[in-house]
Amino acid sequence: MPRFLPVLGLLVSLATGPASAAYPVTVGPADWPWWRGPTRDGVAPPNQTPPQKWSATENVLWKAPVPGRGHGSPAVVGDRVFLAVADAQTETQAVHCFDRKTGELAWATVVHRGGFETKGNAKSSLASSTPACDGRRVFINFQTANTITTTALDLNGKILWQRKVSDFVQHQGFGSSPAVYGPLVLVTADNKGGGAAAGLDRETGTVVWTRTRPKLPNYTSPVILPIGGKDQLLLTGCDLVTSLDPLTGSQLWEHKGATTECVTSTVTDGRHVFTSGGYPKNHLAAVTADGSGKVAWESGARVYVPSLLYKDGHLYGVQDEGVAVCWRCDTGKQVWKERLGGTFSASPVLVGDVVYSVNEAGKWFLFKATPEAFTLVAENKLGDEVFATPTICGDHIYARVAEKVDGQRKEWLYCLGKQ
């Protein structure tokens, strides 16, 4: 279980990195401060009791309108919910802050105007990054005017600093989310023009370290995971699996073990890094994370966009084409699979022993994370289009969905909880 409160001069936890009085990370045990949650692996904080049944009217605590189109997830810290927004009508990219209890809009800050890129995959958006919050600042990445820029705002929506990470050559789109670690915010911008990975000072935006990345398209976010008693910054895709020291950017190890284009965020069982991708080949592999370069196993399973979950020696995934699968971590052997139906882009979230997963048509499937057999817990319907991964914390579900009324698409942020 991660520990969240900073202790001066000590390693606070493997989730937040070393803390100091100048760089505290003040988030609580019921928060979801960044992409894939407090432990960065899609696992909800312990002892959560979100609803398992809901509809457009049942167990809806509040519903807030969201302008434009975006696929980033909400970040939840304290009494605030943060969301990246892109509005094509006004050509603005912004961060919106909602009251966690009521859903009322607290503030909306435009981060960029103009520079909208209309090319790319039809399933991408110009607000696909999930904000990260350290309790004092909110960090967000946006692609605009052929560049990737990271912006820091205070909790009242004031822009504190902006830093260009890399030039960007559009291919399918951009969706890499920032990651808070120690005194830094970590960012990546892989692309065909040659991207970068960087560590930026959270207080000032100063570039502390940077590394050039291959000239290949890729879409993953930086992920820090504890392996072998050490925090490793893991990058997958570009035909590589790369491990860096998150504080210095120095390479710990790197070797081939991934396909070129990846979207998913990797997880670990403490021994392996699991990499999955979809171009130029369908690809799922377990890479030994000790620097030996050994690929323990590899299969042709297609887990391209939705990220994997790890629990008790097994991987659980929902493939893009709508099939739930359980694999053994040590051998890659498929234990069971079950067709859910539909197409999936959002990543599943693990709450206790239940997986929450939603397809692109807004149909939710809840099933047990157990190797015994596929066990369906519940099915629900909310919205007509869902690409954003849900956020589950504080016994609530925060879901970004789109509804179509009279042929018009409208986004909403729902807060679901037991009434």
Side-chain angles (χ1 to χ4, degrees):
M1 175 178 175
R3 298 173 295 280
F4 297 95
L5 295 179
V7 179
L8 180 60
L10 299 179
L11 184 67
V12 179
S13 75
L14 293 173
T16 59
S20 70
Y23 295 92
V25 177
T26 51
V27 298
D31 292 341
W32 189 277
W34 40 64
W35 168 240
R36 301 218 81 198
T39 48
R40 312 182 198 271
D41 55 3
V43 178
N47 304 317
Q48 299 295 302
T49 57
Q52 295 186 344
K53 294 293 292 182
W54 62 84
S55 68
T57 56
E58 179 187 5
N59 282 332
V60 175
L61 300 183
W62 52 259
K63 174 184 177 182
V66 179
R69 181 188 186 96
H71 298 162
S73 301
V76 181
V77 173
D79 59 0
R80 299 171 173 89
V81 181
F82 305 102
L83 196 67
V85 173
D87 190 338
Q89 290 187 340
T90 59
E91 284 209 9
T92 56
Q93 292 167 302
V95 175
H96 284 213
C97 175
F98 302 88
D99 185 283
R100 184 172 182 172
K101 292 183 179 179
T102 67
E104 294 182 5
L105 183 65
W107 50 261
T109 299
V110 173
V111 175
H112 300 289
R113 292 185 183 276
F116 265 42
E117 175 61 71
T118 57
K119 299 177 182 178
N121 194 294
K123 293 184 179 182
S124 68
S125 80
L126 289 173
S128 293
S129 178
T130 296
C133 180
D134 63 6
R136 298 172 60 201
R137 306 172 198 83
V138 183
F139 307 96
I140 188 64
N141 297 336
F142 280 117
Q143 173 200 346
T144 182
N146 300 317
T147 63
I148 304 301
T149 300
T150 300
T151 300
L153 306 93
D154 68 17
L155 297 185
N156 294 315
K158 178 184 177 182
I159 294 178
L160 300 174
W161 53 259
Q162 291 186 311
R163 183 69 57 193
K164 176 183 171 182
V165 179
S166 172
D167 291 327
F168 191 80
V169 176
Q170 176 69 281
H171 184 57
Q172 301 277 18
F174 174 79
S176 178
S177 299
V180 169
Y181 183 84
L184 306 179
V185 56
L186 307 174
V187 294
T188 57
D190 289 342
N191 68 95
K192 294 195 298 182
L200 311 178
D201 185 285
R202 285 196 277 129
E203 185 80 28
T204 65
T206 302
V207 178
V208 176
W209 63 261
T210 186
R211 292 185 66 92
T212 301
R213 294 281 290 163
K215 293 183 178 181
L216 292 168
N218 190 40
Y219 318 103
T220 58
S221 298
V223 176
I224 306 98
L225 296 174
I227 305 173
K230 178 186 298 184
D231 289 359
Q232 300 187 34
L233 169 58
L234 297 161
L235 309 176
T236 61
C238 299
D239 300 324
L240 298 168
V241 182
T242 304
S243 172
L244 305 177
D245 183 314
L247 291 178
T248 66
S250 60
Q251 182 174 299
L252 301 177
W253 51 265
E254 181 178 74
H255 49 75
K256 293 184 177 180
T259 189
T260 304
E261 296 183 31
C262 299
V263 179
T264 63
S265 296
T266 189
V267 293
T268 184
D269 61 357
R271 296 179 56 237
H272 306 98
V273 172
F274 300 97
T275 172
S276 59
Y279 186 83
K281 64 177 181 178
N282 297 333
H283 164 85
L284 174 63
V287 178
T288 305
D290 59 3
S292 66
K294 180 181 178 182
V295 177
W297 55 263
E298 184 174 357
S299 77
R302 181 178 175 84
V303 192
Y304 189 15
V305 180
S307 298
L308 296 163
L309 294 169
Y310 167 78
K311 187 177 189 297
D312 298 335
H314 292 82
L315 290 175
Y316 299 89
V318 178
Q319 296 178 298
D320 303 53
E321 66 270 22
V323 178
V325 189
C326 171
W327 298 273
R328 285 185 54 135
C329 286
D330 55 353
T331 64
K333 179 182 178 181
Q334 180 180 288
V335 179
W336 56 253
K337 69 176 180 178
E338 182 76 16
R339 177 163 293 282
L340 303 178
T343 302
F344 287 72
S345 286
S347 294
V349 177
L350 182 62
V351 184
D353 63 351
V354 177
V355 176
Y356 285 61
S357 186
V358 56
N359 70 17
E360 291 177 3
K363 189 171 183 180
W364 297 66
F365 301 87
L366 279 60
F367 59 90
K368 289 282 188 179
T370 173
E372 300 301 322
F374 175 82
T375 303
L376 185 68
V377 175
E379 292 185 14
N380 303 286
K381 182 72 167 65
L382 184 66
D384 300 307
E385 182 183 281
V386 180
F387 287 91
T389 297
T391 291
I392 304 178
C393 60
D395 299 331
H396 296 157
I397 302 169
Y398 301 87
R400 183 182 202 158
V401 310
E403 297 170 351
K404 294 182 179 179
V405 179
D406 297 328
Q408 299 295 313
R409 181 187 182 278
K410 174 62 180 175
E411 281 195 359
W412 300 88
L413 181 62
Y414 277 85
C415 177
L416 306 175
K418 295 177 182 178
Q419 293 181 324

